[in-house]
Amino acid sequence: MDREASVVDLMKAMGLSPEAVERVSRLWGKSAARHGGCTHLLLGHLLDTAAVAGVMWDRYVSAALRRRLDEISGGRGRLWLMWVCGIHDCGKACPAFQAMDAAEAAPVLAAGLTWGRLPAGRPKRWRHDVAGAVLLRPRLVAEWGGEEAAGWVWPLVAGHHGTFPSAAALSPPRGAQGRGAAWEEAQRAVVDVFTCAVGFEDLADVRPVGSLRKAEQLALSGLIVMADWIASDSSQFPGLAEAGLITFAEAQRRAESAWERLRLRGGWRDLARPENPLDPLTRRLGVQPRASQREVVERAWSMPVPGLLVAEAPMGEGKTKAALAAAEVLAARFGLDGVFVAMPTQATSDPMYEQVLQWVRTFDPLLESQVALLHGRRRFNTWWRAIWDGKPRPDGEGCGCGDEGRHDVTEVADDFGAIDEDAEYEMSSAQPSADGATDSVADGPAHWFLGDKRGLLTAFAVGTVDHLLYAATRTRHVMLRFAGLAGKVVVVDEVHAADVYMRQFLVEALRWLGQAGVPMVLLSATLPPAQRQLFVDAYLSGVLGTADVHQGVPEPAGYPCVTVAYGVGGRAVAETSRQAVPSWRESTRVRLSWLPDTDSGGKRVAAAARKAVADGGIALVVVNQVARAQAIYRDLRDGGFGGVLHLLHARLCAAHRADRTARCLRLMGPQAGGDRPTRMVVVATQLAEQSFDVDADVLITDLAPTDLLLQRIGRLHRHSGTSRPAAHRVPRVMVTGVAPERDGAPRFLRASERIYGKWSLLRAASLVSEAAGALTAAAAGGPAAAGWSIPADVPDLVARAYGPTGICPAGWNEAGAWEQWRAKELAREKRAEEYLLCRRREWALPTLEGLHHAGSRAASEDQLDAVVRDGDPSVEVVVIRRSSGGYRAVDGTWLGVHGEVDDDEVTDRLMGGTVRLPSRLTEAAQAELGPLAGWAGRPWLRYRSALVLEEDGTRLLGADRVSYDDVLGLVIERESR
C-alpha cells in the first residue's frame, strides 16, 4: 500500500462506490467549533492517533511491553499497537455522534447518511466509545473466528473515555447506532479503510495470535488514551476537512513533529546491563556497599523473572540507595523504562525527588527533565520549579531548559478539539503557555505530563504513595495511571506506613502489577510478618492470575533481611535471606523509662525536656497532637529555655514548615558538623516519624503503636561520629502520653486512642513495660529496667506487637480492646472494597469488560484523596491577613484591594501560606470560605479557599476562634458561648 495515497484513493482502490466514498469522506471526528476553527475528518483523526502510537512505540513504550505486543501479534507489535490505538474512535461513525454538531452534520446528511429523531439528554445519550464496541465486536467475532480474541479487544475501544462497560451496556437506543445499507456500508468502510491505510491487508489480518493478560490490557488501554489525547490536540494536529488531503504518511509526519514540539520522550530506552553486579551501588551511587545493600542488589540479579522484592532493614541502613540500585538491575534485565518511587508523605517526597534527580543524571544529564514530582505542593520545591517552571536553580545556575518567563502550565484550558461529549470526560490539557506555543528546546521538560492523571506517564516519578493507590481504584481513567506504572520499576518506601484502609489498595495494586510483570521493591524498617506475607501473596496472586494464592514466606535468618517472590512455570516461589545479614552498625542498648503524663498541656514533658539538656545535648520531643506540641513549646519558650528551640507540626503553613524542616536537618542532620547546637529541643508531631534524617541525643515520645515507636527511636543516635555530651553517651527514651489507672491498667491520651485505637497502644505499653518496668512503679519513682537492643530487637518486637498471642497483663482487658479494634478494621476494609479496582470474585476474569461495574465514583483529584485515605475529610486553605484597604499574604506581602496577584513571585509568597485545617473545621470551611475575588484569573489560586484573618489576627470559623502565629502555626480555640 502506498502510504502517500489519500484515503479517497484508497477507498477507490478498494472498490467502494462513489456514493460510499462521498459518505465516508464527510464523516467528521473533531468539530470546527472545538478544534481550532477547522473540521477534522474522522479518518484523519484515526490515522493521526495510529501515527502517534507508532512514535510512542519507537520512543516511549517500554521494551517489556513491546516484547509482549510482539508475542501476541506474531511479531507485528508496532503495527498492531498503531491499529488498536487508531481504531478507538470508529464509533463516531454513527448518527448519535454525527448529529451532535449541526454545522458538521449538514454535509453528512447531504451525502445520504440520515437519521430520525435521536434520544435527547445526557443520561440517554449513546456514547461513541460504546458505539465503537457495538460496531466492531460482531466483525471481530466473525473475521477473527470466535469470541476469544474479540472478547478482550472490544473493551479497549469501549473504555477509551475512562470506564469499561459490561456487554449488557452494548445495546443502542433506537436509531442511535445507524440503520440501513448506507450506514452499514459507511461503518464497514471506516474500519476497513483505516485498517488498510495503517498497513494490514484486511481486518482478518489484524487477528492477534495470543492474548494479553488483564493487567496488560489495562496498561494498553492507558496507552490508547494517551495516543488519543495527544492526537486530539488541535494546536498540534490542525483539522483536515478534505479527505483528499488525508494520508497515513502525512499523519506520520504530523505525529513526529507534534512529539518533538511537545518534547515527549521515554526514559532509559533499552538500558544496558551493568558490567559489574555491584556497579549500580559503587559507581552509580558512589557508596561503599553495606551487607544489607549488597543483599538487595544480589537478589535483584538472582530473580529469574520480574518479581517482588521486600527489603527490611533498620532506620538509616541505606535502603533507598539499595532500592535504586536494584531498580537499575531489574530495569536492565527485564526491559523497564523508568522508576516510580512512592513515599508516605509530601514532606518525605521532596528530599527523595532531589535524590532521584541526582541519580538519573548519572545515566544522562538530559533525563533530569523527565523526573516528575507528584504531590500538591511541588510548587515549593526549588528544584522542581527550576526544571519544570523555568526558575533559577537552587545552586544559582540557570535551569538550562530555555523556559524563562514561562506561564503556569497546569490549568490552561484545552478541549482536545472535543465537542460536549468529549468534554464530559474531563480531557483537560496542560500547555506550556496560554497561547499553546511551545519552544523547540529538545532537552526541556514535557509540560504535557503535568495535566491531570498524566504524572505517572513521565519516565521517572517521585510522589506520595497515593498515586500508586489511585492506580488500584475503580475510577475514571485509571488506565492512564496504570499505564504509567506498567513500564517502570515501582519502589515503595516506608511500606508499613499504610494503614488497614490504604493497605487494601496497596494489595490491589500488587495484584495488578504482579500480573503486568512489573518488578516492585518494598522497603520497611518495621514490617509485621503478617503484612510481609500479605504483600507476597497479593503479588503472587497477580502473577498466577488467581485470587487466593498463599505461598508461605520462610522465617528470615536475621535482620536485615530480603524476601523475594515470583512465579515460574505457573509455580509460586517465595524466598528470604538464607543467612543473617549483618547491619552496618552494631546494636545499641537503648534505655527506656516512663514519664507518666496524659495532660494535653504537657507540663511534665516540658520540664523533662528542659532537664534532659540542662548540661547540653539535643532532645527530640514527639507527641501525637498538635495542640499538645504547641503547649509544650510555649512552656519551654515562656519559661526561658536557654538554647535553640523549634516546633514542627502539620498545621504550619507550607513555607514555615519547609523552612523549619530544613533548619532542623541543617542543625541535627548527617552533615551538621560544627552547626550542631550545644543545647536544643525540637518539639514535633508524627512528622518526625518517617524520613526525617536527624540525630537526637535523647527522645521523649508519646506512646504510639510499637512499629511507630521504633520509627521514632530511629531518630536517636542515628549518625555515626556525632559528638555528644557525656550524659548522652547511652541513648535514652522517655515514654509519655500514658499514665496508670488505680488498677494499674494504662490510661492514654484521648488523641492517641482516637488515632491509633486502644488495642495497639495496650500492646505497645506492655512491651515498653518489659523494658522500662511497670508503669505504676515509674509513677512512684521506681528504677528503669534494661531497655531494648536496637536494631536487633526490632523484628521480634514488631512480630509480638501484631502477633496472635496475648501479651498484656491480666486486668488490661486486651481481648475486649482487640474485639473493638478488629471490628473497626473490618469495617474499614469493607469501605475500601467499594472503590477497589476489581471485585475479588472477578479477579480471574480474562478481560476488562464490566470493570467499572459500579461506575466511577470519584470525579476529581480532591475526591480521589478521600477514596484512598480513610478518615474525615479536610481542606487546605491559604492564610490571608486583612489589612487597611486590602489584603496581605501571611508573610506580609501586599496583595491589593481584592487580593490581586500580579506575578509568579507574589503567587509563590501567597501559596507559602497554605495550611491544612483539622477535619473538625471542614464543614465550616466549606460553608464559609472561598477564593478572594482577585484570584479569579490565577490558575494556582482560582479554586483555593482563603482563610481571611481580621486585623486582630483571628477569625471565627464555625464554633472555633482561629488564628495563625508565625511560630506556633495555626492556633484553634473553642469559642465560649
Side-chain angles (χ1 to χ4, degrees):
M1 187 209 66
D2 181 4
R3 295 293 174 93
E4 295 288 354
S6 75
V7 293
V8 173
D9 295 333
L10 186 56
M11 285 189 277
K12 291 176 180 177
M14 293 170 65
L16 267 67
S17 67
E19 294 80 11
V21 172
E22 176 67 12
R23 288 164 184 158
V24 174
S25 297
R26 294 297 179 221
L27 292 171
W28 61 278
K30 301 290 179 182
S31 68
R34 297 295 187 96
H35 198 71
C38 185
T39 302
H40 196 29
L41 295 179
L42 178 55
L43 281 173
H45 175 58
L46 300 189
L47 291 175
D48 284 344
T49 309
V52 169
V55 180
M56 287 168 58
W57 175 279
D58 297 336
R59 307 192 196 181
Y60 180 81
V61 179
S62 71
L65 186 52
R66 296 200 306 269
R67 189 161 53 241
R68 284 293 290 131
L69 290 173
D70 271 335
E71 288 171 3
I72 63 99
S73 64
R76 299 186 293 178
R78 185 178 189 274
L79 184 59
W80 201 86
L81 177 67
M82 290 194 296
W83 180 85
V84 78
C85 287
I87 202 67
H88 75 286
D89 260 356
C90 65
K92 288 184 173 178
C94 75
F97 183 87
Q98 294 296 312
M100 291 182 73
D101 185 294
E104 305 294 353
V108 179
L109 289 165
L113 290 173
T114 60
W115 51 83
R117 185 169 181 174
L118 297 171
R122 186 164 291 183
K124 297 180 179 179
R125 179 178 300 159
W126 183 235
R127 293 183 354 217
H128 75 261
D129 47 357
V130 184
V134 171
L135 186 159
L136 202 57
R137 185 185 182 198
R139 290 202 60 191
L140 298 184
V141 171
E143 298 185 41
W144 288 2
E147 280 278 0
E148 184 178 350
W152 69 267
V153 172
W154 73 256
L156 300 175
V157 174
H160 80 264
H161 269 301
T163 60
F164 297 99
S166 66
L170 307 187
S171 179
R174 183 179 177 86
Q177 186 73 12
R179 290 183 296 174
W183 272 111
E184 184 179 341
E185 183 183 32
Q187 290 169 344
R188 189 175 190 88
V190 166
V191 173
D192 291 342
V193 172
F194 165 76
T195 299
C196 292
V198 168
F200 285 104
E201 290 183 16
D202 52 29
L203 189 58
D205 189 33
V206 182
R207 181 176 186 256
V209 298
S211 61
L212 294 177
R213 309 183 81 191
K214 184 160 66 175
E216 295 169 330
Q217 294 167 30
L218 190 65
L220 175 58
S221 176
L223 296 181
I224 293 170
V225 175
M226 179 178 175
D228 179 26
W229 285 12
I230 293 170
S232 296
D233 184 344
S234 61
S235 69
Q236 305 299 330
F237 292 85
L240 294 173
E242 294 294 331
L245 300 176
I246 296 172
T247 71
F248 189 46
E250 176 60 19
Q252 289 177 306
R253 287 189 285 269
R254 284 154 61 95
E256 290 278 355
S257 297
W259 191 269
E260 292 292 336
R261 285 194 300 269
L262 291 171
R263 298 189 291 204
L264 299 169
R265 62 164 290 173
W268 282 310
R269 311 308 297 147
D270 304 314
L271 180 65
R273 291 190 180 207
E275 293 181 8
N276 182 293
L278 291 179
D279 276 355
L281 280 170
T282 56
R283 298 185 64 181
R284 181 81 58 204
L285 291 162
V287 301
Q288 188 63 39
R290 295 167 178 166
S292 61
Q293 294 173 320
R294 192 183 285 261
E295 174 82 354
V296 170
V297 174
E298 288 174 353
R299 285 289 179 167
W301 277 110
S302 69
M303 280 194 292
V305 292
L308 174 70
L309 193 155
V310 185
E312 300 170 62
M315 293 70 75
E317 185 77 16
K319 294 186 291 295
T320 305
K321 281 188 168 62
L324 294 178
E328 178 182 352
V329 172
L330 294 167
R333 293 185 62 213
F334 301 122
L336 286 307
D337 201 41
V339 172
F340 173 55
V341 182
M343 302 298 293
T345 63
Q346 293 181 356
T348 56
S349 298
D350 280 349
M352 179 55 61
Y353 169 68
E354 291 165 30
Q355 187 171 336
V356 170
L357 272 180
Q358 294 172 8
W359 179 60
V360 301
R361 287 189 199 110
T362 66
F363 296 95
D364 181 349
L366 299 184
L367 283 178
E368 73 167 14
S369 65
Q370 309 303 315
V371 185
L373 177 59
L374 306 181
H375 66 66
R377 293 185 178 180
R378 66 189 178 195
R379 184 181 180 90
F380 302 108
N381 184 286
T382 51
W383 276 105
W384 186 86
R385 291 295 303 277
I387 294 167
W388 285 83
D389 217 12
K391 301 297 181 184
R393 288 181 178 273
D395 57 16
E397 298 177 9
C399 76
C401 58
D403 289 346
E404 292 299 328
R406 184 174 295 289
H407 292 77
D408 180 274
V409 298
T410 57
E411 293 182 36
V412 178
D414 178 72
D415 292 311
F416 282 103
I419 60 167
D420 180 60
E421 186 188 36
D422 283 345
E424 176 186 351
Y425 296 98
E426 301 177 68
M427 293 166 60
S428 59
S429 176
Q431 294 295 338
S433 64
D435 60 6
T438 60
D439 57 49
S440 58
V441 181
D443 60 347
H447 289 88
W448 188 89
F449 289 123
L450 296 182
D452 283 350
K453 308 171 186 177
R454 300 180 219 161
L456 284 174
L457 293 169
T458 319
F460 304 93
V462 179
T464 55
V465 70
D466 304 57
H467 291 272
L468 170 62
L469 307 184
Y470 295 159
T473 59
R474 195 180 59 258
T475 49
R476 179 161 285 153
H477 291 122
V478 65
M479 69 284 288
L480 266 181
R481 304 179 194 280
F482 193 80
L485 294 172
K488 295 179 173 64
V489 180
V490 176
V491 177
V492 187
D493 200 5
E494 312 270 14
V495 71
H496 58 269
D499 62 21
V500 68
Y501 182 88
M502 296 171 67
R503 207 174 301 139
Q504 307 311 304
F505 298 100
L506 179 56
V507 164
E508 184 77 352
L510 283 161
R511 285 196 199 101
W512 283 85
L513 291 170
Q515 189 175 82
V518 174
M520 296 190 69
V521 184
L522 309 184
L523 307 177
S524 177
T526 54
L527 189 65
Q531 284 190 37
R532 182 198 307 132
Q533 185 68 59
L534 177 69
F535 296 153
V536 165
D537 287 345
Y539 191 86
L540 291 174
S541 290
V543 170
L544 300 182
T546 57
D548 295 301
V549 172
H550 177 74
Q551 182 67 31
V553 177
E555 186 71 23
Y559 178 75
C561 66
V562 179
T563 301
V564 295
Y566 52 87
V568 175
R571 182 175 62 89
V573 178
E575 303 169 341
T576 193
S577 300
R578 302 177 187 87
Q579 297 179 339
V581 179
S583 176
W584 72 280
R585 59 180 179 183
E586 293 184 4
S587 287
T588 303
R589 183 64 61 178
V590 175
R591 190 170 24 171
L592 276 75
S593 62
W594 290 111
L595 178 62
D597 176 56
T598 56
D599 175 16
S600 61
K603 285 190 173 297
R604 287 199 69 187
V605 176
R610 190 179 283 109
K611 182 179 178 181
V613 296
D615 296 322
I618 295 180
L620 175 62
V621 179
V622 184
V623 296
N624 297 338
Q625 187 181 26
V626 172
R628 182 165 157 89
Q630 291 171 327
I632 293 168
Y633 177 90
R634 273 199 194 104
D635 191 294
L636 287 164
R637 181 191 63 185
D638 299 345
F641 175 70
V644 179
L645 186 60
H646 281 304
L647 175 65
L648 187 61
H649 58 73
R651 288 186 207 155
L652 292 167
C653 70
H656 293 158
R657 179 168 157 183
D659 179 64
R660 203 86 48 90
T661 301
R663 228 179 305 169
C664 289
L665 289 171
R666 180 174 60 80
L667 295 176
M668 52 194 295
Q671 309 301 323
D675 288 337
R676 190 174 173 90
T678 303
R679 183 184 295 106
M680 177 173 172
V681 174
V682 176
V683 184
T685 57
Q686 291 93 330
L687 293 182
E689 240 168 46
Q690 306 171 125
S691 302
F692 188 50
D693 192 9
V694 297
D695 181 320
D697 296 315
V698 61
L699 173 69
I700 304 174
T701 174
D702 278 347
L703 184 71
T706 306
D707 54 332
L708 303 183
L709 196 59
L710 290 166
Q711 289 287 338
R712 296 176 188 186
I713 292 173
R715 316 302 132 193
L716 190 61
H717 288 225
R718 184 180 177 92
H719 304 139
S720 59
T722 301
S723 177
R724 307 182 198 282
H728 297 302
R729 295 284 163 78
V730 175
R732 190 159 52 101
V733 180
M734 287 177 264
V735 181
T736 185
V738 59
E741 299 278 17
R742 289 183 179 179
D743 61 0
R747 179 181 73 253
F748 308 115
L749 280 165
R750 280 189 295 177
S752 300
E753 198 166 324
R754 186 176 66 250
I755 296 166
Y756 302 118
K758 191 172 184 177
W759 177 75
S760 60
L761 293 174
L762 283 173
R763 299 201 31 123
S766 178
L767 292 171
V768 171
S769 293
E770 294 175 7
L775 182 58
T776 49
W788 289 337
S789 182
I790 303 295
D793 288 347
V794 168
D796 181 62
L797 287 167
V798 174
R800 291 180 64 204
Y802 293 98
T805 307
I807 61 173
C808 296
W812 284 21
N813 191 23
E814 180 183 1
W818 184 86
E819 291 288 348
Q820 188 180 50
W821 176 84
R822 186 59 187 148
K824 288 182 177 178
E825 297 286 279
L826 289 171
R828 297 179 73 197
E829 287 181 15
K830 193 72 176 173
R831 282 198 297 275
E833 285 179 12
E834 297 180 28
Y835 296 103
L836 290 180
L837 183 51
C838 187
R839 288 182 289 198
R840 190 175 185 83
R841 64 182 179 275
E842 295 176 354
W843 168 244
L845 296 180
T847 80
L848 296 171
E849 180 207 336
L851 186 67
H852 288 84
H853 57 86
S856 67
R857 295 165 179 263
S860 70
E861 300 296 306
D862 288 343
Q863 288 171 301
L864 266 178
D865 290 340
V867 167
V868 299
R869 290 186 183 262
D870 183 36
D872 297 327
S874 60
V875 296
E876 278 193 339
V877 297
V878 181
V879 179
I880 299 295
R881 303 188 192 278
R882 193 183 296 278
S883 183
S884 177
Y887 300 95
R888 294 187 182 275
V890 74
D891 69 349
T893 300
W894 173 249
L895 301 178
V897 176
H898 303 292
E900 296 88 344
V901 177
D902 296 328
D903 56 36
D904 281 351
E905 183 178 350
V906 175
T907 300
D908 288 348
R909 290 174 172 270
L910 183 60
M911 291 287 287
T914 302
V915 68
R916 185 168 292 278
L917 298 177
S919 57
R920 80 171 198 247
L921 296 181
T922 299
E923 187 176 346
Q926 290 174 337
E928 301 176 28
L929 305 182
L932 294 182
W935 296 355
R938 302 296 297 185
W940 280 89
L941 296 171
R942 68 177 73 152
Y943 302 117
R944 296 275 178 173
S945 289
L947 177 68
V948 179
L949 304 178
E950 302 302 329
E951 293 192 47
D952 68 352
T954 74
R955 72 160 289 154
L956 193 63
L957 190 58
D960 295 282
R961 178 66 59 180
V962 180
S963 61
Y964 188 86
D965 182 275
D966 286 350
V967 176
L968 296 174
L970 196 71
V971 178
I972 303 164
E973 298 173 352
R974 180 66 65 175
E975 186 78 353
S976 58
R977 296 281 181 181

